[in-house]
Amino acid sequence: MTGFRLTLAALSVTALALTAAPAATAEAGITDEVTMTLAKDGTLHVVEKITGASAGLKRTFTTRTRFDDDNDRLYQIANVKGGTLAGDVLTVTGPSVEYDIKGAVTTSGAVEELRWFAVNGWNQPVTKATVTVSGPGQVQNLSCFAGELTSAIGCTSASMDHTGTQATFEQQSLASGQALTVIVGYPKGSSQGAPILERRFSLTSAFTLDTVTGGALAALLVLLLGGIGLLYWTRGRDARVAGHEQGPASSPVQNGHFAPPDGVRPGQIGTLVDEQADVVDVTATIVDLAVRGYLRIDEQPRQTYDAPDWMLVRLPNAPVNALLPYERALYDAIFEGRDTVLLSQLSGSFASHLGKVRDALYADVVKQGWFARRPDTERTRWTTIGVALIGVGLLATVALAWFTTYGLLGLAVVIAGGALAIGGQYMPAKTAKGSAALAHTMGFRQYLFSGELGEVPEQHRVELFSRYLPYAVIFDGVEHWSRVVASVTGNGHQADNLYWYHGPAEWDLSKFAGSMRTFTTTTSGAISATRQFRSL
């Protein structure tokens, strides 16, 4: 019986040993003995003695943590011995490693706090870890946390020696990747250490609106927009304000003949008034060339659903050498060596010449002394500067938003650039001579639509009222003046045609107003369809 009991006991011990063996294997890991010394300059020197490690021992340092809503806290590791550091990963090559850390100290009230993840990120379990910390002053407080990096669970033990200058921490059984974080407080000013902060980008903080940023934004906007206003005041205003110089309307009729104010042609007036050589100026010039005897406009017969069309006919013996450069450029663009051309053909045939017409118009208003510089060049210059300023503002916004909280200041530059790009359209300024010519032009417009045309001899009415018509195109009065022209002939009676405008069979001057309205609209459409004037 006694022998049976001994045998049973031996079997039980054997079974317990076999059961305990896997558990001991599962708990196998390294022992990490850490010594940390905080120097007066704030550098933390660390020495780790490691035992029980298997091959391929590595540690991944935690070098970035959240500091506050706007910043991350960085820990910089340098002077590594006993291993190789690649990024945040340390590969251990010896029984111990050494390294220095900057950024582990921060001030909180009257205490200077050292915080470091003394044991953290090992790829093998840590069966036991001890940490000894020495510093440049008396320990004011200490604490430790074990487990995950954000754990609030205290470590196995934390104590200080009897002198109060050394703190000791201990932790049993840390799984791979878990951390032992130690915190030791010293009197403020014990070292020169400070946290290393890196601003964390967020749209909310990047475009913070507070007293400082709001005041700076307002001041910058006032400065930039005020500067643009001053620029317009000094560079963009006409030399004299035409509205203040406009006198009473005066008759352009002299001895029964038409004499426009200052001899200004319709295309010149259009460019002078709106400072742009656009489609209406070209349309009015075509009508003007017809009225003055350089070409004839023949309306083509059509069926009910046909699109209207006109034949432009070159008149022989016309004094083309007397034309102004922009008129000659347009005349040549229309005919190109031919004697007749359909209006419907112009949208494709003289597109390449329209740039020359426009350039000649701008050159003409400068030659007349109405502008010191070409209006288109002036607009392009300031608009380009405005667009460039927008680009600078966008780059400044990105840079300020990324590195600071003053992103709103970059937006102020963008706003100013937009204002300059738009305001650049108003930068062409008339000279004193140009302002005077505009005043006379506005007086002529007033006369033209006053209805008080005086006594015009019947023999001069067709020519005189026809000469008014191109100017009416510029002033958007085609309907009115077409009816005036259609109401009279050389002898005061209705006729089938004008000397410069012929209609098809069964057509008479009672239909002239509708025909002219359609002609000007179609001509402007044909010009607008060309490449050079597509944006107008």
Side-chain angles (χ1 to χ4, degrees):
M1 188 67 175
T2 301
F4 174 76
R5 289 175 179 175
L6 290 174
T7 302
L8 183 60
L11 290 173
S12 298
V13 170
T14 302
L16 288 172
L18 291 173
T19 303
T25 301
E27 293 179 356
I30 64 172
T31 299
D32 193 2
E33 183 180 343
V34 184
T35 302
M36 304 195 310
T37 305
L38 180 62
K40 289 289 291 183
D41 65 355
T43 301
L44 181 64
H45 182 69
V46 181
V47 178
E48 296 189 53
K49 295 181 179 180
I50 304 156
T51 57
S54 59
L57 181 61
K58 294 184 178 182
R59 177 179 180 179
T60 302
F61 287 110
T62 298
T63 58
R64 179 188 293 269
T65 61
R66 179 185 175 87
F67 184 75
D68 56 26
D69 291 340
D70 299 321
N71 298 283
D72 287 339
R73 183 175 181 179
L74 306 183
Y75 298 87
Q76 295 179 348
I77 300 175
N79 303 323
V80 176
K81 298 177 182 179
T84 57
L85 184 66
D88 293 338
V89 180
L90 173 67
T91 301
V92 178
T93 57
S96 66
V97 292
E98 295 184 41
Y99 50 88
D100 292 331
I101 304 168
K102 288 187 178 295
V105 178
T106 187
T107 299
S108 178
V111 177
E112 185 178 277
E113 184 180 270
L114 166 66
R115 175 187 289 264
W116 177 238
F117 316 104
V119 180
N120 167 236
W122 289 109
N123 64 344
Q124 298 179 22
V126 179
T127 56
K128 181 180 181 180
T130 58
V131 181
T132 302
V133 182
S134 300
Q138 293 284 327
V139 176
Q140 303 296 299
N141 60 270
L142 52 83
S143 59
C144 60
F145 304 99
E148 299 302 321
L149 195 62
T150 57
S151 172
I153 301 173
C155 63
T156 303
S157 66
S159 61
M160 69 178 74
D161 66 0
H162 66 282
T163 64
T165 59
Q166 189 177 83
T168 302
F169 305 88
E170 184 176 318
Q171 177 61 35
Q172 304 287 338
S173 302
L174 288 171
S176 59
Q178 290 187 331
L180 170 60
T181 304
V182 299
I183 302 169
V184 182
Y186 296 100
K188 184 178 181 179
S190 297
S191 76
Q192 300 173 2
I196 301 172
L197 303 181
E198 183 177 275
R199 184 173 171 272
R200 187 188 316 109
F201 175 78
S202 71
L203 287 176
T204 302
S205 61
F207 296 94
T208 299
L209 181 60
D210 52 26
T211 304
V212 176
T213 57
L217 175 63
L220 187 57
L221 281 174
V222 169
L223 180 64
L224 291 174
L225 297 181
I228 293 173
L230 180 63
L231 183 65
Y232 174 76
W233 185 264
T234 57
R235 293 287 300 273
R237 286 195 317 143
D238 294 345
R240 290 183 289 174
V241 181
H244 293 170
E245 299 172 354
Q246 181 175 327
S250 58
S251 172
V253 181
Q254 299 176 5
N255 300 322
H257 297 282
F258 177 74
D262 300 330
V264 179
R265 303 279 170 80
Q268 295 172 320
I269 282 183
T271 308
L272 175 67
V273 170
D274 62 10
E275 301 171 345
Q276 296 195 55
D278 49 25
V279 293
V280 70
D281 304 331
V282 178
T283 300
T285 300
I286 292 175
V287 176
D288 187 49
L289 290 175
V291 171
R292 288 161 52 200
Y294 289 89
L295 59 89
R296 189 180 70 246
I297 303 172
D298 291 350
E299 184 174 339
Q300 300 300 291
R302 61 189 176 95
Q303 300 299 320
T304 303
Y305 298 105
D306 290 344
D309 205 354
W310 290 262
M311 181 75 74
L312 303 183
V313 181
R314 182 205 297 264
L315 296 182
N317 303 320
V320 293
N321 292 331
L323 293 174
L324 295 177
Y326 81 89
E327 294 175 321
R328 182 61 184 268
L330 177 59
Y331 186 83
D332 291 342
I334 292 173
F335 293 109
E336 285 191 303
R338 57 199 169 190
D339 292 328
T340 61
V341 62
L342 287 172
L343 182 63
S344 58
Q345 297 174 330
L346 291 184
S347 61
S349 65
F350 75 126
S352 60
H353 299 284
L354 280 176
K356 296 179 181 179
V357 178
R358 198 178 183 200
D359 285 342
L361 260 175
Y362 282 127
D364 182 83
V365 294
V366 174
K367 182 179 179 181
Q368 297 293 336
W370 297 338
F371 295 90
R373 291 169 292 275
R374 286 177 48 140
D376 60 330
T377 302
E378 197 74 358
R379 276 192 298 270
T380 301
R381 175 188 302 166
W382 292 110
T383 300
T384 302
I385 293 174
V387 171
L389 191 59
I390 291 174
V392 171
L394 289 174
L395 293 176
T397 299
V398 172
L400 289 171
W402 188 261
F403 296 107
T404 72
T405 60
Y406 294 96
L408 288 175
L409 300 188
L411 293 180
V413 180
V414 173
I415 293 172
L420 186 58
I422 296 172
Q425 302 303 308
Y426 304 95
M427 288 303 292
K430 300 176 187 66
T431 62
K433 185 178 180 181
S435 295
L438 180 61
H440 297 162
T441 297
M442 292 299 100
F444 171 51
R445 183 182 185 279
Q446 180 182 342
Y447 169 82
L448 199 62
F449 293 102
S450 66
E452 300 175 1
L453 302 178
E455 294 295 330
V456 179
E458 289 186 358
Q459 65 270 24
H460 297 304
R461 288 182 181 178
V462 171
E463 178 186 0
L464 183 61
F465 293 163
S466 294
R467 292 296 304 276
Y468 283 143
L469 188 57
Y471 296 87
V473 173
I474 295 294
F475 296 135
D476 196 23
V478 174
E479 184 78 19
H480 170 72
W481 274 107
S482 296
R483 295 185 184 279
V484 171
V485 173
S487 66
V488 296
T489 66
N491 57 10
H493 299 288
Q494 194 71 34
D496 291 338
N497 292 294
L498 296 169
Y499 69 91
W500 59 273
Y501 190 99
H502 290 179
E506 308 301 327
W507 183 94
D508 59 44
L509 282 181
S510 64
K511 301 176 182 178
F512 175 71
S515 294
M516 182 52 54
R517 181 179 63 251
T518 306
F519 173 77
T520 55
T521 301
T522 304
T523 302
S524 295
I527 295 170
S528 298
T530 59
R531 177 171 54 85
Q532 283 81 0
F533 280 76
R534 189 177 299 277
S535 62
L536 296 180

